[in-house]
Amino acid sequence: MAKSSSSKSGSFWRADWVAGVAIVVAVIVLNAATDFIGTLERRFYDVASTSTSRQPSDRIAVIAIDDQSIANLGRWPWSRDIHAKLIDKLAAAKAKTIIHTTLFFEPQMDPGLAFIRKMKTALGSSPDATTTNEQLSQLIVEAETALDTDAILATSIKNAGNVLLPSFFVLGEQQGKPDSALPDFALKSTLDDPTGFSISAVRAQEPIASIGSAAAGIGHLNQYQDLMDGAIRREPLLVNYYGKAVPSMALLAAAKSLNLTAADIRLNAGQSVQIGKLRVKTDESALMLPQFYKSKDGRPAFAVDSFYDVLTAKIDASKYAGKIVIIGATAAGVGVQFAVPGNPALSPAETIAHITSSILSEHFIVQPTWGGWVTAGLFLLIAAYIIAALPRLSAGIAATTTLTLFIGLLALEFGLLSGSAMWLELVLPATLLVLGHLALTTKRFLVTEAGKVQADEDSAETNRMMGLALQGQGQLDMAFDRFRRVPMNEAVMGNLYSLAMDFERKRQFNKAEAVYEHMAAFDKGYKDIKAKLNRAKNLSETVMLGGSGGHPGGTMLLEGGAVEKPMLGRYQVDKELGKGAMGVVYLGKDPKIGRVVAIKTMALSQEFSGDELVDARERFFREAETAGRLQHQNIVTIFDAGEEHDLAYIAMEFLKGKDLADHCKGDQLLAVPVVLSIVARVAEALAYAHKQNVVHRDIKPANIMYELQSDTVKVTDFGIARITDSSKTKTGLVLGTPSFMSPEQLAGKKVDGRSDLYSLGVMLFQMLAGVLPFRGDSMSELMYKIANEEAPDIRIIRSELPQNLADVVALSLSKRPETRYQTGDQFAADLRSVISQMSGVAPMATSAVVSTDRASSEKTVAFSSTVLGVPSAAQNKVDFTATVPASAADFEKTVVQRVNRPGEAN
């Protein structure tokens, strides 16, 4: 019973829903104990709130006390008469409101002013005032006026009548009465706040009386920085100083620009601050979420002009007419800068500009009172999803659902912020969703993997026993599949060794090799596995000819695992190259002269019997005879033919290149001159074959071999060619590949060389365009199009091709044999003409044709030359012939190659 109780307890703690509850609790603790989720929320707010189409007000301008101004006007702080001059300029230009953010909290006393005043006092107390004393007194009064910069600034501010100055407060909880009451000039800008709808302050700093009394209003310059990252996201519209609410500079500026005073500001406690018809929504402490505008093309949202440029009239002050002008410091070491949404460093003057624009345009962001309930509700829904729903979903559905919910939460918050200026904090439930999904998925994976390990251990012995049983039944492939599922050890190695021996007994050496390789990956030194693997590899690569291993000429096993390769006639067979139209093709070698050949074979006795065998043998050797008559540099050479080991074979020239099938695809097309050169040489080869009364009947890219390095072209597989003598011609026989067949060939009519030229035209079209001229969803549709529809203009597919080339393609694809090319030489000549026109030259092409006297083995070489670009009717001229001995191999290799090809040097 105790064991059962313990098992149930362990199962309880491993349950997914218990893990889900733990995850929810962990996220709650994480949110309460750290600022991780809060940081994510603020970063998301900064991005989303600035991704809006809202535009800043054009009624606001900023004048900066920047580095350039200090460099020209001297060290900070400047004499206050400099500020007075700028205010005078702005007042004369009729600026609507001037906000000066410099703190004039102390008098600015010029050292000479004190002495001037002492002299004035001394002169005023003398009883013997003369005319000279009166003049001196007048000068002293003038000097006093000039040196009293506070008075100068006060006069300018008073004359302007629209200058707002800052005050600064130390924020804190009020415990008793203030150290000092606000001066009368500051009280004029305050509101009664009996409800405490503002931020509490305990100390105040105000401008000096002479300057403050001249101002049109005094607003506070306190910035409300986030305690976690120091960024400014909220604006305290009001600061409460012992029952008096002091408006912020931005709020006071907005009111002043609307020709309102502080008395016109209305407080809707806990909800909003109202100036005129503008209602600015706030929280219960009169904190506003202003809109911070994005920069445009790397420029700040509000243009910032230099103090010095405006003072010296480099910038005309008239541009500020009717605008709210904010003056503030941005120079290094003078002004402070704050991080705000969308900007890591913003000066107080620019910050006020953004906030003032938000108030005037009602571009504030609202955090509804019910937003907290929505966040809590969504958090609980996500918690329920993690605890109750997620464990029941499959991995794919769970991932899709979680991703959809995650994107939905963030998209909702982003959309509300950027589109409706409403902030619902949804990063917390989104974080719970992601962390919960990852945690449960990881748990599920670990539990599954642990289960797999146990299951594998349990099933290993079962698989081994099943393998032994299948091996005993002779099902070796299935046995090997079972053994591979078992972790390797000494016992399994012994089982595999026995299995490999069974494969060898069945002469399945390639499968024995696979078993040995599987064993060697675990232990290369096991028994004689190296020798076994080498022997199996040799045997798997060896061609097994004949009915048995003891058949003469078949494969013989030698000591040490080596093999003696089989023979076909006088040729040694090395390995299989592939499957041909008539059978298997092998790589072979004539050991007497060292010539490498391709050997085409067909096991006639296995494929046919009786009269069919006789007919197949006759056809096979007729192919050899037909192809053997063709001696051309662009036709594969046939060396020998015979029959041995029940195999009929043809030994032919081994070609190093590849067929042209890959070069008919859109991404592997050859250059146009190369394509034309290849097709021209094939046309010449066909012209030669047609003169020998041989029609290929299956011209297509797969039957043309091409080696890029040597630029060698060979026509192969005259396997379905037939001598077209009248005595041997049969009609009604359809042979070939449908897509490349001529209309008359499809109709079963008698065909001649012009049918091959049509097929060559189809190949030319495909190698230029990457597609066939005729395509269909079925064989009947394809055959109908070939027989009845005209080929499309190739320039529809490749408009850059010249018109004369398009004409050649169209002529080669003519439906009627009598209207297409009549000979391959004409076809080749027109192609070479196109090449010469494309290259701008008329090259000479020289070629040679070699024929062999079978009795004497002497070779006759016929040289001919053609000037490319002449009319197609012009035939090649045979310049001379030469007879050379059969032993002159090097000379033979030279004369059968082209001496001059288009685009190549002699």
Side-chain angles (χ1 to χ4, degrees):
M1 291 296 293
K3 183 177 180 181
S4 175
S5 176
S6 175
S7 176
K8 290 181 179 179
S9 176
S11 176
F12 172 81
W13 291 110
R14 287 196 299 270
D16 285 342
W17 72 268
V18 175
V21 171
I23 294 164
V24 173
V25 173
V27 171
I28 293 174
V29 172
L30 176 68
N31 186 51
T34 71
D35 190 46
F36 173 74
I37 298 177
T39 300
L40 294 179
E41 180 65 60
R42 290 190 295 272
R43 295 291 177 267
F44 192 80
Y45 169 84
D46 291 347
V47 173
S49 65
T50 54
S51 301
T52 178
S53 59
R54 289 174 167 180
Q55 299 298 319
S57 172
D58 58 359
R59 297 171 54 195
I60 300 172
V62 178
I63 297 178
I65 302 171
D66 54 3
D67 293 322
Q68 174 196 351
S69 301
I70 290 179
N72 286 281
L73 297 176
R75 293 178 57 189
W76 183 264
W78 296 327
S79 176
R80 290 177 179 170
D81 59 334
I82 294 177
H83 297 281
K85 291 178 182 177
L86 182 65
I87 290 173
D88 290 340
K89 280 183 171 290
L90 294 175
K94 299 190 181 301
K96 183 68 175 178
T97 304
I98 302 171
I99 304 172
H100 207 306
T101 62
T102 303
L103 304 174
F104 301 118
F105 292 168
E106 297 177 354
Q108 188 177 70
M109 181 70 71
D110 190 287
L113 181 60
F115 292 101
I116 290 296
R117 287 179 174 169
K118 288 180 180 180
M119 292 169 62
K120 179 181 177 182
T121 302
L123 287 174
S125 61
S126 174
D128 299 322
T130 63
T131 302
T132 301
N133 287 345
E134 291 177 359
Q135 292 174 348
L136 184 58
S137 297
Q138 182 61 34
L139 288 173
I140 289 174
V141 170
E142 293 176 2
E144 180 185 18
T145 302
L147 293 176
D148 191 356
T149 56
D150 284 347
I152 295 172
L153 178 59
T155 300
S156 295
I157 291 174
K158 185 174 182 179
N159 291 337
N162 60 353
V163 179
L164 305 180
L165 296 179
S167 59
F168 187 80
F169 292 85
V170 177
L171 303 181
E173 194 66 31
Q174 300 168 2
Q175 301 295 332
K177 294 184 178 181
D179 294 335
S180 60
L182 293 177
D184 292 340
F185 63 82
L187 287 173
K188 292 188 297 182
S189 301
T190 63
L191 298 83
D192 290 331
D193 183 19
T195 61
F197 178 45
S198 52
I199 301 287
S200 176
V202 295
R203 283 196 300 275
Q205 285 183 288
E206 301 289 340
I208 61 174
S210 60
I211 295 177
S213 299
I218 307 294
H220 77 77
L221 197 59
N222 289 73
Q223 306 290 351
Y224 194 83
Q225 293 178 268
D226 193 297
L227 295 177
M228 295 300 177
D229 60 7
I232 293 177
R233 297 182 182 86
R234 302 175 187 270
E235 164 75 353
L237 294 180
L238 301 168
V239 167
N240 185 294
Y241 188 73
Y242 295 94
K244 294 294 183 180
V246 181
S248 67
M249 291 288 284
L251 179 61
L252 200 59
K256 183 65 177 176
S257 68
L258 297 174
N259 302 315
L260 301 174
T261 65
D264 297 310
I265 299 175
R266 296 287 181 267
L267 306 183
N268 301 313
Q271 296 181 1
S272 63
V273 175
Q274 186 170 346
I275 51 174
K277 293 185 178 180
L278 298 178
R279 185 184 295 270
V280 183
K281 294 184 179 180
T282 68
D283 66 4
E284 64 279 359
S285 298
L287 289 173
M288 164 198 178
L289 284 167
Q291 175 69 64
F292 287 94
Y293 304 93
K294 261 192 172 182
S295 302
K296 301 176 185 177
D297 303 324
R299 296 176 296 177
F302 294 93
V304 179
D305 297 329
S306 172
F307 188 104
Y308 179 75
D309 288 344
V310 180
L311 187 67
T312 58
K314 185 176 181 180
I315 296 177
D316 193 345
S318 61
K319 72 173 285 188
Y320 305 108
K323 292 188 176 182
I324 300 172
V325 182
I326 304 171
I327 304 169
T330 62
V334 177
V336 295
Q337 293 187 328
F338 303 99
V340 301
N343 198 319
L346 205 65
S347 67
E350 293 174 280
T351 303
I352 293 173
H354 282 262
I355 298 171
T356 304
S357 176
S358 295
I359 295 172
L360 289 174
S361 304
E362 293 187 293
H363 285 170
F364 40 81
I365 295 169
V366 177
Q367 203 167 14
T369 55
W370 45 264
W373 292 104
V374 172
T375 301
L378 289 173
F379 184 89
L380 292 176
L381 285 175
I382 297 301
Y385 167 73
I386 292 172
I387 296 170
L390 187 58
R392 292 179 170 83
L393 300 177
S394 64
I397 296 176
T400 302
T401 305
T402 297
L403 181 61
T404 302
L405 290 174
F406 179 75
I407 294 175
L409 286 171
L410 295 186
L412 176 61
E413 179 172 355
F414 188 93
L416 289 175
L417 271 171
S418 60
S420 303
M422 182 181 295
W423 186 13
L424 293 181
E425 299 184 20
L426 303 181
V427 171
L428 175 59
T431 303
L432 172 63
L433 178 65
V434 172
L435 295 180
H437 183 89
L438 292 177
L440 282 181
T441 302
T442 303
K443 172 185 174 295
R444 185 181 295 178
F445 173 78
L446 293 176
V447 170
T448 302
E449 287 301 306
K452 283 183 179 179
V453 172
Q454 183 63 40
D456 289 344
E457 292 176 356
D458 293 341
S459 64
E461 187 62 22
T462 301
N463 280 321
R464 194 174 77 86
M465 297 305 294
M466 282 293 296
L468 290 172
L470 291 168
Q471 183 181 357
Q473 297 171 9
Q475 302 183 49
L476 304 186
D477 290 328
M478 297 177 65
F480 185 32
D481 180 62
R482 286 289 180 172
F483 286 139
R484 279 187 296 188
R485 301 180 191 181
V486 183
M488 294 294 286
N489 54 42
E490 193 68 22
V492 177
M493 288 288 282
N495 298 144
L496 288 170
Y497 189 86
S498 173
L499 178 67
M501 296 294 291
D502 284 351
F503 273 127
E504 287 190 4
R505 293 186 188 97
K506 288 192 173 186
R507 305 182 67 78
Q508 297 177 341
F509 298 106
N510 59 330
K511 296 181 179 179
E513 179 190 356
V515 177
Y516 288 133
E517 286 181 344
H518 183 66
M519 297 172 65
F522 177 71
D523 183 3
K524 293 182 179 179
Y526 183 81
K527 292 185 178 182
D528 58 346
I529 192 171
K530 288 185 178 179
K532 290 284 189 183
L533 179 59
N534 183 55
R535 178 177 182 274
K537 185 175 295 184
N538 286 334
L539 291 171
S540 66
E541 293 178 351
T542 301
V543 181
M544 312 302 289
L545 299 176
S548 67
H551 194 289
T555 301
M556 181 180 295
L557 305 183
L558 302 179
E559 185 177 355
V563 295
E564 181 179 292
K565 297 181 179 179
M567 302 291 290
L568 267 179
R570 64 177 180 176
Y571 300 102
Q572 186 181 70
V573 181
D574 287 334
K575 63 180 180 180
E576 181 180 314
L577 293 177
K579 306 289 185 182
M582 296 284 286
V584 183
V585 182
Y586 299 102
L587 177 67
K589 184 178 181 181
D590 188 337
K592 293 183 179 179
I593 61 175
R595 173 188 285 159
V596 178
V597 297
I599 305 173
K600 184 177 182 180
T601 69
M602 185 172 184
L604 297 175
S605 61
Q606 295 181 16
E607 299 291 338
F608 306 100
S609 61
D611 293 340
E612 289 184 351
L613 176 60
V614 175
D615 181 68
R617 182 179 285 112
E618 289 180 356
R619 181 180 174 192
F620 187 86
F621 287 105
R622 184 166 65 247
E623 174 196 350
E625 177 192 358
T626 301
R629 288 166 47 190
L630 304 178
Q631 298 292 315
H632 192 274
Q633 67 268 25
N634 297 123
I635 298 177
V636 65
T637 303
I638 302 297
F639 297 124
D640 196 6
E643 187 173 9
E644 190 172 325
H645 302 321
D646 297 329
L647 290 176
Y649 69 88
I650 300 174
M652 62 185 68
E653 177 184 5
F654 174 68
L655 304 176
K656 295 182 179 179
K658 296 174 59 179
D659 63 54
L660 292 171
D662 288 342
H663 296 299
C664 294
K665 301 173 183 177
D667 57 344
Q668 299 184 48
L669 297 182
L670 296 170
V672 173
V674 175
V675 172
L676 301 187
S677 174
I678 291 172
V679 175
R681 281 176 272 173
V682 174
E684 291 169 346
L686 291 175
Y688 168 80
H690 296 161
K691 291 174 184 177
Q692 306 298 319
N693 293 325
V694 177
V695 180
H696 190 287
R697 298 174 181 267
D698 195 21
I699 292 296
K700 59 184 178 181
N703 284 335
I704 310 297
M705 299 294 291
Y706 179 65
E707 185 181 10
L708 183 63
Q709 292 182 345
S710 62
D711 191 30
T712 302
V713 179
K714 295 281 185 177
V715 182
T716 67
D717 200 359
F718 275 82
I720 58 172
R722 295 166 59 228
I723 299 175
T724 56
D725 294 343
S726 60
S727 61
K728 296 182 180 180
T729 300
K730 295 181 180 179
T731 60
L733 182 63
V734 177
L735 299 171
T737 304
S739 294
F740 294 87
M741 291 169 64
S742 64
E744 63 268 25
Q745 191 176 7
L746 278 177
K749 298 179 180 178
K750 177 182 176 180
V751 297
D752 55 23
R754 294 173 295 182
S755 177
D756 283 346
L757 298 182
Y758 177 92
S759 301
L760 185 59
V762 176
M763 188 182 88
L764 173 61
F765 189 103
Q766 188 181 24
M767 291 185 70
L768 290 173
V771 295
L772 289 164
F774 299 107
R775 287 155 288 173
D777 294 332
S778 63
M779 183 63 69
S780 59
E781 181 184 358
L782 174 63
M783 295 175 68
Y784 176 82
K785 288 184 177 181
I786 293 174
N788 297 281
E789 295 183 4
E790 293 296 329
D793 186 347
I794 195 169
R795 297 187 72 197
I796 296 175
I797 302 174
R798 291 188 66 178
S799 58
E800 74 274 14
L801 295 178
Q803 182 60 48
N804 55 353
L805 175 55
D807 294 341
V808 171
V809 175
L811 184 59
S812 68
L813 295 176
S814 179
K815 296 292 179 191
R816 298 166 54 199
E818 59 268 23
T819 59
R820 73 175 76 112
Y821 284 108
Q822 301 300 296
T823 68
D825 290 330
Q826 293 176 349
F827 198 169
D830 282 357
L831 289 172
R832 297 193 187 283
S833 175
V834 173
I835 296 174
S836 65
Q837 292 180 32
M838 291 178 69
S839 60
V841 297
M844 176 77 75
T846 303
S847 61
V849 177
V850 182
S851 59
T852 304
D853 188 323
R854 295 187 180 273
S856 63
S857 296
E858 290 186 338
K859 300 183 183 295
T860 301
V861 186
F863 292 89
S864 63
S865 60
T866 302
V867 178
L868 301 182
V870 302
S872 60
Q875 301 297 316
N876 291 346
K877 177 183 177 182
V878 177
D879 297 315
F880 66 91
T881 61
T883 301
V884 297
S887 60
D890 292 338
F891 182 65
E892 176 184 339
K893 291 178 181 178
T894 302
V895 298
V896 299
Q897 294 177 352
R898 289 178 163 277
V899 178
N900 186 7
R901 295 195 183 100
E904 298 180 359
N906 289 335

